[in-house]
Amino acid sequence: MSLSSVFLKTLRDYRIPILGWGIGMGLVVVSPMASVATLVTTPEARAQLASLAATFAWNADPVAVTTIGGYATFKIGVFIFLIVVWPILAASRMLRGEEDRGSLDLLLSLPRPRLRVALEKLAAMWTALLAMGLLIGLIVFAGGRQFGADFVLGDALLFGLDLALICAVFGGLSLLISQFTQERGPAAGATAGLLLIFIVLDMVHRIAPNSEWISRLSPIYYYNLSKALIPSYGVNPGAMLLLAVAAIGLGGIAVWLFNRRDVGGTVSLPRWLRLPERQASRVLPVGDWSLRSVYARSLSKIAMPTFWWTLGIAGFAGWMVYAVQLLETKMSTLLSGNAGFTQLIKNIGGGDASLNAGLLSAMFVFLPLFLMAFAVTQVIGWAADEQDGRLELVLATPQPRLSVLLGRFAALASATIAIAAITLLVCAGSAAASGLQLNGGNLAAAILGTIPLGLLVAGIGYLASGWLRSAADTGLLSFLLAFWFFVSFIGPELNLPDVTLRLSPFYYYGSPLLNGFQLASILGIIAVGTVALALGAVRFVRKDIGV
Amino acid sequence: MTAMIEVESLTKSYGSKRGIADVSFRVEEGDVFGFLGPNGAGKTTTIRLLMALLHADAGSARIAGLDCWKQSLEIKRLIGYMPGEPALDPDLTGGQILEYFAHLRGGVDQAYLKQLVERFELDTSRKFRQYSTGNKRKVVLIQAFMHRPRLLVLDEPTSGLDPLNQQEFDRMVKDARDEGRTVFLSSHVLSEVEKTCNRVGIIRDGTLVRIGDVAEVKAIKRYEITITFANVVPADSFKSLDGVLEVEALNHGQGVRLTMQGPADAVIKAAARHPVVSLTSYEPSLEDIFLRYYEGDGPRAAEAHHVA
């Protein structure tokens, strides 16, 4: 039954993501509900929370943050990038990924119109997103009931629908971009880059006055116009309709373009945008430095993703430094002598409420997360290379297996160090340009201290790929990252025991912006990463390749 | 003669999946050895064990006297390898791939490399992903030959090559043989091995069933001739002819399908006595040959075990 049509087959392929992302994201939304229930027990605490939320307004609109639904809505504002990852990846795989693998040729050889095949696949993704939204809505409703929220089932379902719509917009965008790229990777990467830009555009109107017109360019702005979990605020039907129209429009254009182009090719660009015709040649690139070793080749291969991640991470960090400067005066007034605020900031990365450094420390908790996410995206390529047979010829040359693995790791380590170093330069430059006073040593510790965390993920990735195939390796690393972040970000609010908090590397990263370089903790992370890499290397040297 | 490859009781299993069991053979230096077998017989597993990509469960494999697993690095300096399903970085051009592998091999004679590129008329500026199947195989074939290895290990090397490039490949194998180099190639096409190799091993279901000179393999080679006549011709009239093993009447007596071994001279002469509409000859796949030759536990199977 589930294989009787392209729609059902595609939906069947999405069954695990529907459950995984639906339940996972539902729990992410519910988590802050538990914490707010314990945080806002007195009118003073409510007032403190409302004021504190106002200082974080750059991130999300602080509306009714002292209610269960309001606090959850405010707190997950930052998770939007996490939620739309799946539709971006799924949409880039939907047609382009299948063309890459050659599986679409067979499907399109069947007596079935190409347009219908594409539409059925798109409909399956939309259905999957609605199912995820439904699951999220049900879990949020159950969580709300548990913690005494004032929203009803309909509100929770509308919240899930709003999420599904923004996901569908980015899925449509990814599908559209994939019509212009030869591979799915650049399509997903470009869409992720646009997502980052849209997140920043949406933030602009909360930081700078009279800049709402800029934020209106971002789909996330329209997503944020609906706050279904706050009954007094409700949803904005116009904004939701706009998102639906954008999703249908982007998806529709993508499918229309797909129907007109060559399978395996890209949409023809106007002549003036096309690259010059390539002439056949028998020339060999004898002097190309990037072909001289496994390390050089690996470095060259990750150069472009590293560039984009650097742009994103350094841009984010630089923007944070600048944003803190904008909020500094307001922060000084609000945080002075307020123990409640100090405690809350501690929970999300601070250690002391020394104004700009304290706030920046809370923001900088995302830096190691981003760098670790970068490491995940790169290290999973190792398992994929082995699985797809791309290591076979390299290992047939007189290169020791250990050298091949370490060459790849060294390239990833170099890229990680480069990202951190450039981020440090950008932050220092941003602080100097905006006049924000920061301890230079602590800033360096905060940014360079993320490097061991990135390498820890890489080490674990190489270890896991000794046994797991690419998809399972990706799943494990993503789960670990989400688990660690959940433990460190939400754990303190849930009063998780110290022994649980210590399971997360973020715990050992600490608050270097406030406390400086924590040598023992960093050495501990390096030691664990080294052990993981060493075990991964031992496994790789002994294992059957491609089995 | 010196042994270039010595395989002794080599065994590899993939859990419940098939592998190879107790495979033993020897390839002398200077031989062109054809490793024949139907799909899934264990050819690639044997080759990947020789290349130290897999670790044997039991037995031993040695190349030039060196242990394939323990001394794999030294061995790989001697070998040019072409996998059955070449997978390479899709974003590199053919030229970049060749230069990359040249560096990984510690450098190659660039003049010879250019000569190979010319010989196969390879456009080195295209990305690997943009190549046709045949051109992808050309890239991998060139990288296997480019450092003039003492031993070439080629897994189904001509699969996907057009006839002109197959001829070029045959010439390159002949050149390698003339230079005293050893070639170990796998195939599931009997006639290809017959044409290129001087010695042959046949593997089926993970077990080596026959090994010997190429002439010995001809003993199991069969082919089919289908003749369509304008009139009804008794099929029995072909039964006793030289080279005919089996006869099957077709089209209500207006055609015959003959299973043949050896020359077809007698059949052609007999057919010429009748008005012939068409005549086609077909070499069955190795699987078909094996299905017939090694079916059941009959005398043919017994013979196979005896020879192996």
Side-chain angles (χ1 to χ4, degrees), chain A residues 183 278-279 281-283 285 288 291-292 297 388 392-393 395-401 544-545 547, chain B residues 12 48 52-55 76 81 87 89 91-92 101 103-105 121-126 129 143:
Chain A
E183 297 167 74
R278 191 191 52 79
Q279 299 295 319
S281 154
R282 308 217 195 289
V283 175
D288 190 338
L291 305 171
R292 293 192 175 276
R297 172 66 201 130
D388 296 341
E392 184 138 337
L393 269 173
L395 296 177
T397 64
Q399 296 285 329
R401 286 191 185 189
D544 290 341
I545 301 299
V547 175
Chain B
K12 177 73 186 175
R48 297 185 87 235
L53 294 166
L54 301 177
H55 196 194
K76 284 168 189 172
Y81 172 56
D89 193 331
D91 293 326
L92 288 184
F101 282 94
H103 281 296
L104 294 186
R105 292 207 159 276
E121 297 178 331
L122 178 73
D123 175 1
T124 54
S125 66
R126 293 184 81 89
R129 73 165 67 257
Q143 73 77 35

Side-chain angles (χ1 to χ4, degrees), chain B residues 2-306:
Chain B
T2 324
M4 177 54 85
I5 303 176
E6 296 164 280
V7 170
E8 190 64 44
S9 303
L10 200 60
T11 300
K12 177 73 186 175
S13 68
Y14 305 104
S16 57
K17 286 191 283 180
R18 188 192 297 163
I20 60 167
D22 205 24
V23 169
S24 302
F25 62 89
R26 185 180 158 101
V27 178
E28 307 297 339
E29 184 148 24
D31 270 353
V32 179
F33 188 90
F35 199 45
L36 266 171
N39 294 327
K43 302 188 295 292
T44 300
T45 297
T46 308
I47 285 175
R48 297 185 87 235
L49 283 162
L50 292 176
M51 294 305 302
L53 294 166
L54 301 177
H55 196 194
D57 296 336
S60 70
R62 301 178 78 80
I63 288 178
L66 303 167
D67 185 278
C68 282
W69 182 260
K70 291 177 188 158
Q71 293 159 293
S72 66
L73 217 56
E74 290 85 343
I75 285 174
K76 284 168 189 172
R77 292 186 214 284
L78 310 175
I79 300 181
Y81 172 56
M82 178 180 185
E85 290 175 20
L88 287 161
D89 193 331
D91 293 326
L92 288 184
T93 65
Q96 286 175 317
I97 287 168
L98 293 174
E99 280 302 324
Y100 180 43
F101 282 94
H103 281 296
L104 294 186
R105 292 207 159 276
V108 301
D109 177 355
Q110 288 290 330
Y112 181 62
L113 176 54
K114 280 179 188 159
Q115 194 186 319
L116 288 175
V117 169
E118 292 289 342
R119 209 166 161 175
F120 275 103
E121 297 178 331
L122 178 73
D123 175 1
T124 54
S125 66
R126 293 184 81 89
K127 287 190 174 181
F128 193 70
R129 73 165 67 257
Q130 296 168 331
Y131 281 129
S132 64
T133 307
N135 279 326
K136 282 180 180 168
R137 296 195 78 83
K138 280 188 202 174
V139 174
V140 183
L141 204 52
I142 292 172
Q143 73 77 35
F145 277 83
M146 67 184 176
H147 54 294
R148 290 195 174 97
R150 263 179 76 189
L151 170 65
L152 283 149
V153 177
L154 313 170
D155 194 358
E156 307 208 353
T158 57
S159 161
L161 287 183
D162 62 37
L164 284 177
N165 283 304
Q166 283 193 23
Q167 284 177 12
E168 194 54 53
F169 169 77
D170 292 345
R171 279 194 285 272
M172 286 175 67
V173 170
K174 186 177 174 300
D175 289 351
R177 187 181 179 179
D178 292 346
E179 290 164 15
R181 291 188 270 149
T182 311
V183 181
F184 181 93
L185 66 86
S186 76
S187 177
H188 60 267
V189 183
L190 200 55
S191 56
E192 177 184 83
V193 169
E194 198 183 340
K195 185 173 57 180
T196 321
C197 305
N198 64 320
R199 294 192 74 237
V200 178
I202 298 176
I203 188 166
R204 188 187 181 218
D205 288 341
T207 309
L208 199 65
V209 291
R210 185 181 271 259
I211 187 163
D213 290 340
V214 75
E216 290 182 41
V217 175
K218 288 181 181 170
I220 66 161
K221 188 182 174 188
R222 277 118 219 264
Y223 60 99
E224 286 179 357
I225 291 179
T226 305
I227 310 170
T228 307
F229 300 103
N231 307 318
V232 172
V233 174
D236 286 351
S237 62
F238 290 89
K239 259 186 181 169
S240 56
L241 296 176
D242 280 352
V244 176
L245 298 176
E246 288 169 24
V247 178
E248 184 187 349
L250 302 171
N251 298 336
H252 309 290
Q254 283 192 289
V256 286
R257 181 183 294 132
L258 311 170
T259 303
M260 302 287 301
Q261 186 174 35
D265 184 60
V267 168
I268 301 298
K269 284 175 179 163
R273 290 189 212 115
H274 308 280
V276 175
V277 175
S278 69
L279 185 150
T280 56
S281 176
Y282 158 72
E283 184 182 331
S285 69
L286 205 59
E287 285 93 323
D288 291 340
I289 293 174
F290 276 26
L291 274 173
R292 293 188 186 186
Y293 192 80
Y294 294 116
E295 62 194 352
D297 294 321
R300 284 174 178 169
E303 179 203 347
H305 288 297
H306 173 71

Side-chain angles (χ1 to χ4, degrees), chain A residues 1-13 15:
Chain A
M1 177 62 186
S2 62
L3 298 175
S4 60
S5 70
V6 174
F7 172 78
L8 288 174
K9 163 70 172 63
T10 312
L11 202 55
R12 180 178 178 269
D13 293 341
R15 64 193 190 281

Side-chain angles (χ1 to χ4, degrees), chain A residues 288-371:
Chain A
D288 190 338
W289 69 269
S290 70
L291 305 171
R292 293 192 175 276
S293 64
V294 172
Y295 169 73
R297 172 66 201 130
S298 307
L299 200 58
S300 158
K301 195 174 177 179
I302 64 171
M304 192 48 75
T306 303
F307 170 77
W308 287 110
W309 277 88
T310 305
L311 209 63
I313 294 174
F316 173 82
W319 169 251
M320 287 304 104
V321 170
Y322 181 68
V324 164
Q325 196 278 331
L326 289 176
L327 294 168
E328 190 181 25
T329 312
K330 195 175 177 185
M331 286 291 298
S332 301
T333 314
L334 287 166
L335 294 183
S336 56
N338 196 319
F341 296 163
T342 308
Q343 186 56 41
L344 200 60
I345 285 183
K346 268 185 187 173
N347 288 346
I348 51 179
D352 187 3
S354 55
L355 303 177
N356 46 19
L359 180 58
L360 202 55
S361 181
M363 303 303 106
F364 268 33
V365 77
F366 292 107
L367 283 187
L369 177 72
F370 290 155
L371 208 64

Side-chain angles (χ1 to χ4, degrees), chain A residues 35-177:
Chain A
S35 57
V36 77
T38 57
L39 272 174
V40 290
T41 48
T42 63
E44 293 76 22
R46 278 199 185 84
Q48 287 172 1
L49 184 61
S51 299
L52 179 67
T55 66
F56 285 85
W58 56 271
N59 168 52
D61 300 320
V63 179
V65 288
T66 56
T67 64
I68 303 281
Y71 185 69
T73 306
F74 170 75
K75 200 70 190 275
I76 63 152
V78 78
F79 282 107
I80 185 70
F81 72 90
L82 205 61
I83 290 168
V84 297
V85 163
W86 183 77
I88 289 176
L89 292 176
S92 67
R93 276 195 205 110
M94 187 191 295
L95 298 172
R96 182 57 68 192
E98 289 211 20
E99 283 174 272
D100 265 358
R101 290 199 302 272
S103 54
L104 206 58
D105 281 16
L106 193 60
L107 192 58
L108 294 178
S109 71
L110 301 172
R112 191 177 289 257
R114 190 196 286 195
L115 186 66
R116 183 174 159 186
V117 169
L119 282 175
E120 284 191 45
K121 282 179 168 288
L122 183 60
M125 191 185 77
W126 284 342
T127 308
L129 289 175
L130 286 173
M132 282 181 194
L134 178 67
L135 256 178
I136 292 171
L138 291 173
I139 291 170
V140 166
F141 173 68
R145 289 281 295 246
Q146 175 71 26
F147 299 111
D150 54 353
F151 56 80
V152 296
L153 179 62
D155 298 328
L157 293 179
L158 279 172
F159 171 77
L161 179 63
D162 197 29
L163 271 179
L165 286 174
I166 190 68
C167 286
V169 169
F170 281 95
L173 191 58
S174 179
L175 187 64
L176 179 59
I177 292 173

